[in-house]
Amino acid sequence: MDAFLVWLDEHKVRIIECLLLLVVGLPVFQLSGYLIRKGLKNKLTDQAVLLLSKGVVYIGSLIVILMVLQHAGVKLGTLLGAAGIAGVAIGFAAQTSLSNLISGMFLVWERPFQVGDLLQAGTDKGFVHSIDLLSIQLRTFDNKLIRIPNESLIRNPFTNVTRFPIRRMDIEIGVAYKEDIEHVMRVLREVADRNPYCLDEPEPLILFQNFGSSALEFLLAPWFAKTDYVTLRNNLLMEIKRRFDEEGIEIPFPHRTLYTGSATDPFPIRLVPADADGAGEKS
């Protein structure tokens, strides 16, 4: 115990300096990252601001740790030499991280998306929640978090759904073969024109697409502001159903017809009277 007190008395100044470096240095760089995010918010993209602020925090924290080790009497030359030897082995294991880091730099340069954009990457879809040095994070519609490595985004195609201020919504509609085509197209035009969320320019696209297996197939494709997707789709579908009911336009369900061919006898049908219990048989 006495030896420890002697050692503590001899090194108390150095210990205090190390503690001050940790207590003051780390919060300073955290504050610097916060100020960068606030000060450059309107001057750079959210992606660039996030990466710059995190880079300052990470590099600053590393500098503080090295300074603490130096004040603690650790020989950095020996430490760095050992780290260099170990770095060869670690480098092989860190190839994926390095690839993600370089891919992240390319994404920053190209800027194909920003925080808040709706991204479709393979089977994953969600709003960009954060952009990091090694990956991006998506927040799904049901509030789940998906992490996608940057390398995956560079290697594989992805879709930025909300890149542009306006979008087009394609709604496929089928009506019975007995309906008049011009009448159906006129009703669809009226539905689109009266909806406040459909843009007048570009004008809605209405096409007679095809003779389907059990319906005449139409396409209603209005343009809209990207923030109105859910509201517009819900309103349009309800309004189409209401107007079709008013106009007597039938939306058919799939029909199937069995045809045995001219060389085949008709299907035999046999009716059996019901028994005393009310049960019967038909064949």
Side-chain angles (χ1 to χ4, degrees):
M1 185 65 180
D2 293 337
F4 174 74
L5 293 175
V6 172
W7 179 89
L8 184 62
D9 185 64
E10 293 177 353
H11 297 83
K12 61 182 180 181
V13 175
R14 184 174 296 179
I15 294 174
I16 293 174
E17 290 178 347
C18 292
L19 290 176
L20 286 176
L21 283 173
L22 289 174
V23 173
V24 177
L26 294 179
V28 165
F29 285 106
Q30 291 286 345
L31 178 61
S32 299
Y34 173 79
L35 294 177
I36 288 175
R37 290 194 298 271
K38 290 296 183 181
L40 300 180
K41 183 177 181 180
N42 298 324
K43 298 179 181 180
L44 299 175
T45 63
D46 292 340
Q47 182 176 0
V49 171
L50 278 176
L51 291 178
L52 181 60
S53 62
K54 289 182 178 181
V56 169
V57 172
Y58 293 157
I59 294 174
S61 300
L62 179 61
I63 293 174
V64 171
I65 292 173
L66 292 177
M67 292 176 65
V68 169
L69 291 175
Q70 185 179 14
H71 277 74
V74 177
K75 295 182 179 180
L76 296 181
T78 305
L79 182 64
L80 293 177
I85 297 174
V88 177
I90 297 174
F92 288 102
Q95 286 182 358
T96 301
S97 297
L98 182 60
S99 177
N100 285 324
L101 180 61
I102 296 174
S103 299
M105 294 178 181
F106 279 109
L107 291 175
V108 172
W109 180 263
E110 293 181 1
R111 293 189 298 177
F113 55 83
Q114 299 179 8
V115 173
D117 284 345
L118 179 59
L119 213 64
Q120 173 81 50
T123 58
D124 299 323
K125 188 174 185 179
F127 295 96
V128 179
H129 178 68
S130 68
I131 302 169
D132 298 323
L133 295 175
L134 302 180
S135 66
I136 71 164
Q137 295 180 352
L138 300 182
R139 180 175 59 84
T140 63
F141 295 105
D142 54 352
N143 214 31
K144 297 177 182 178
L145 191 68
I146 300 177
R147 179 184 180 275
I148 302 178
N150 290 332
E151 182 183 11
S152 177
L153 295 175
I154 290 293
R155 289 178 175 270
N156 303 299
F158 61 85
T159 302
N160 188 342
V161 181
T162 54
R163 173 70 174 185
F164 303 107
I166 65 172
R167 295 172 53 196
R168 197 184 77 178
M169 179 185 300
D170 293 351
I171 300 177
E172 296 181 350
I173 304 163
V175 302
Y177 267 89
K178 67 181 181 65
E179 305 298 342
D180 180 73
I181 293 177
E182 294 182 353
H183 180 210
V184 174
M185 296 185 70
R186 183 170 62 253
V187 171
L188 292 177
R189 172 67 63 180
E190 292 174 358
V191 169
D193 290 342
R194 294 176 182 177
N195 193 295
Y197 298 100
C198 291
L199 299 180
D200 297 329
E201 182 62 33
E203 65 178 12
L205 179 65
I206 302 175
L207 295 177
F208 172 52
Q209 284 192 300
N210 194 19
F211 296 97
S213 59
S214 58
L216 300 174
E217 298 177 352
F218 294 82
L219 174 67
L220 173 61
W223 291 86
F224 64 98
K226 65 180 181 181
T227 55
D228 296 333
Y229 176 83
V230 176
T231 304
L232 173 62
R233 184 174 180 82
N234 192 51
N235 286 352
L236 274 182
L237 293 179
M238 291 193 299
E239 184 64 16
I240 290 171
K241 180 63 170 63
R242 187 184 69 81
R243 284 297 309 276
F244 276 15
D245 290 344
E246 291 179 355
E247 300 290 334
I249 299 175
E250 179 185 352
I251 301 177
F253 55 87
H255 293 75
R256 295 292 182 267
T257 301
L258 298 178
Y259 177 61
T260 60
S262 59
T264 306
D265 294 334
F267 288 115
I269 299 177
R270 182 166 60 91
L271 301 178
V272 178
D275 54 21
D277 296 331
E281 179 184 0
K282 295 182 181 180
S283 61

